[in-house]
Amino acid sequence: MINKYLYIKNNNFLRLLDNLSADYKVFTPQETRKNYFWKEYKGAFEFSKYRSVTNLRQFFTPAVEQIDNYFGSNKAQERKPICIVGAKACDLGNALKIHDYVFLEGDVDSAYKQLREKNLIISSDCTAFKETCFCLALGNMPYPEELFDLNISCVNDGYLVEIGSKKGEGTVASNKSLFETVNDTTLKERENNRNSVTKEFRCQIEPLEFPKDSLLYNLIKNGYGDKLWPEEALKCVECGACIMNCPTCHCFLLFDTKDKDGYFKGRVWDGCQYKNFTRVAGGANALRLREQRLRNRYIKKFEFFPERIKLYACTGCGRCVEGCPAKIDIRKIFKLLNENQNSAKK
Ligand code: SF4
Ligand code: SF4
């Protein structure tokens, strides 16, 4: 029986990644001008302080892919499994739960299933946060609590490793000599680090006056006719950055095309901010107006999913805020909805 907590020195962690490279295509975050991007591991590892610019969706449902049928592809079987190192709490939690619900409940998407089962996730604590991060406001912590195989937290010249799954346990068992037992001082160090980041983060969140997470469902449900939708939508240029960067967004478009081997069906990411997202043959479009599309995004995330699976389809990662050239800010939208509904009650 392996302990749930272990310690690994920095140099041994690199050896672990080298060993994993034999079975997996390993991706780690790499920094470019204070932003992290997923890059293939080439022998060096840099711990990311906060989330990467892009989410994990690309690893489970590639942006464009060839599929064999409506419910997934055999192509997934041919891919080398992927090991994602440094995923943050906002990449896991509700993000993976929403994707699992969409692609695994009912008609199973076999391509997604294979990629999810084959991949290994080594997550990590946030040791800092971006100006756009607000996971705490949604009741999520800046460190992973679930859905990882292994989690690493920075401690004294190495990492405290937490095992989160059988796959993680197997990884440790196959690389036993690289790990050491962990003592109470190291466990305490992790707790102190987590507490101090959370405390500092709370100071950033408080001035935002973001409503309590328990209110969000009602704010959206009762805010259907709010004047902010047309006002905010006027600024939207339909670039799609908010939907493509979101770790919970999952919509796609099927298309038929051909290459040198013949015809095939393809799948490409799609999303509700695009004008033709709901256009059907004949030209009818249920979300014809930009304000309808903007509101739809919030309804889907804060009304549709809570009603079905009691989860918000938002992890508070702030990527939609960061990516929006029109500066449409989810945090401001909820603050305004709250203010507007409170003043209507007076
Ligand atoms: S809606 Fe925005 S903040 Fe929420 S998970 Fe998606 S990108 Fe992140
Ligand atoms: S990122 Fe901003 S401008 Fe682009 S589609 Fe989303 S809301 Fe519109």
Side-chain angles (χ1 to χ4, degrees):
M1 176 72 182
I2 296 176
N3 282 331
K4 191 180 172 198
Y5 298 105
L6 294 148
Y7 173 78
I8 189 165
K9 284 200 180 94
N10 286 327
N11 56 346
N12 280 341
F13 189 69
L14 280 180
R15 283 195 195 109
L16 175 68
L17 297 188
D18 290 338
N19 293 349
L20 288 171
S21 298
D23 299 322
Y24 297 92
K25 200 168 175 176
V26 178
F27 284 86
T28 61
Q30 286 172 35
E31 192 186 334
T32 308
R33 284 178 288 170
K34 297 197 174 156
N35 283 312
Y36 294 99
F37 296 89
W38 299 108
K39 298 267 169 65
E40 203 175 333
Y41 171 70
K42 299 268 188 247
F45 174 69
E46 101 189 83
F47 185 91
S48 54
K49 291 180 274 190
Y50 37 72
R51 63 155 174 82
S52 59
V53 168
T54 52
N55 54 56
L56 303 190
R57 184 181 176 190
Q58 59 192 301
F59 297 120
F60 303 115
T61 58
V64 186
E65 64 180 332
Q66 182 178 337
I67 59 169
D68 293 343
N69 57 57
Y70 287 102
F71 303 119
S73 153
N74 291 328
K75 298 280 168 210
Q77 283 167 348
E78 296 158 18
R79 292 187 197 119
K80 192 175 180 183
I82 286 170
C83 170
I84 307 155
V85 186
K88 298 300 186 188
C90 59
D91 295 319
L92 309 174
N94 286 15
L96 289 183
K97 285 180 192 167
I98 296 288
H99 275 80
D100 286 352
Y101 171 74
V102 171
F103 293 106
L104 300 178
E105 294 285 323
D107 293 319
V108 172
D109 184 299
S110 59
Y112 176 83
K113 186 167 184 279
Q114 284 168 35
L115 291 173
R116 271 289 271 133
E117 283 170 358
K118 279 168 39 171
N119 289 359
L120 184 78
I121 299 177
I122 303 181
S123 57
S124 62
D125 290 12
C126 290
T127 54
F129 37 87
K130 296 187 117 179
E131 184 278 319
T132 48
C133 296
F134 66 104
C135 61
L136 261 185
L138 285 167
N140 301 323
M141 302 312 284
Y143 45 83
E145 296 181 290
E146 56 179 351
L147 299 178
F148 55 83
D149 297 307
L150 296 174
N151 183 68
I152 56 170
S153 314
C154 287
V155 285
N156 188 23
D157 293 334
Y159 304 106
L160 191 155
V161 179
E162 180 177 348
I163 298 174
S165 73
K166 284 267 170 232
K167 216 191 290 176
E169 196 174 309
T171 303
V172 169
S174 327
N175 295 277
K176 229 175 178 168
S177 61
L178 302 178
F179 293 90
E180 298 168 34
T181 52
V182 74
N183 56 33
D184 287 348
T185 317
T186 309
L187 281 169
K188 190 75 195 149
E189 190 182 337
R190 181 179 87 153
E191 192 187 327
N192 290 342
N193 290 344
R194 285 182 166 186
N195 288 343
S196 88
V197 171
T198 307
K199 192 171 162 199
E200 210 182 313
F201 195 6
R202 227 174 266 293
C203 295
Q204 174 173 294
I205 301 293
E206 268 163 17
L208 297 174
E209 295 174 45
F210 193 83
K212 276 202 180 97
D213 62 311
S214 56
L215 298 178
L216 306 183
Y217 171 80
N218 280 329
L219 286 174
I220 294 298
K221 201 160 177 84
N222 301 330
Y224 194 84
D226 200 291
K227 63 180 190 308
L228 73 75
W229 300 119
E231 283 169 9
E232 291 290 315
L234 266 183
K235 299 185 272 177
C236 174
V237 294
E238 297 182 41
C239 65
C242 52
I243 39 186
M244 296 301 144
N245 285 338
C246 178
T248 71
C249 279
H250 47 266
C251 293
F252 58 83
L253 175 76
L254 293 169
F255 62 93
D256 297 295
T257 188
K258 68 171 188 170
D259 63 8
K260 60 180 177 23
D261 300 322
Y263 288 91
F264 68 86
K265 188 163 287 295
R267 173 158 74 182
V268 60
W269 289 359
D270 197 4
C272 58
Q273 298 312 283
Y274 295 133
K275 189 176 177 185
N276 288 334
F277 179 67
T278 50
R279 190 177 63 84
V280 293
N285 191 340
L287 299 175
R288 194 173 52 85
L289 302 175
R290 246 181 303 166
E291 66 188 75
Q292 294 173 321
R293 297 195 286 279
L294 181 65
R295 183 176 56 205
N296 179 76
R297 188 161 167 265
Y298 285 79
I299 290 175
K300 185 89 186 282
K301 290 182 179 303
F302 296 96
E303 193 180 322
F304 177 91
F305 276 105
E307 283 176 359
R308 269 140 198 95
I309 52 171
K310 297 188 170 34
L311 292 176
Y312 289 137
C314 175
T315 63
C317 71
R319 286 182 174 105
C320 54
V321 184
E322 185 174 76
C324 181
K327 303 214 177 312
I328 296 175
D329 187 329
I330 184 170
R331 303 168 301 178
K332 190 176 137 212
I333 284 190
F334 274 110
K335 179 175 179 276
L336 287 175
L337 278 173
N338 199 24
E339 285 171 3
N340 294 349
Q341 289 178 31
N342 280 340
S343 54
K345 280 179 208 156
K346 284 178 190 158

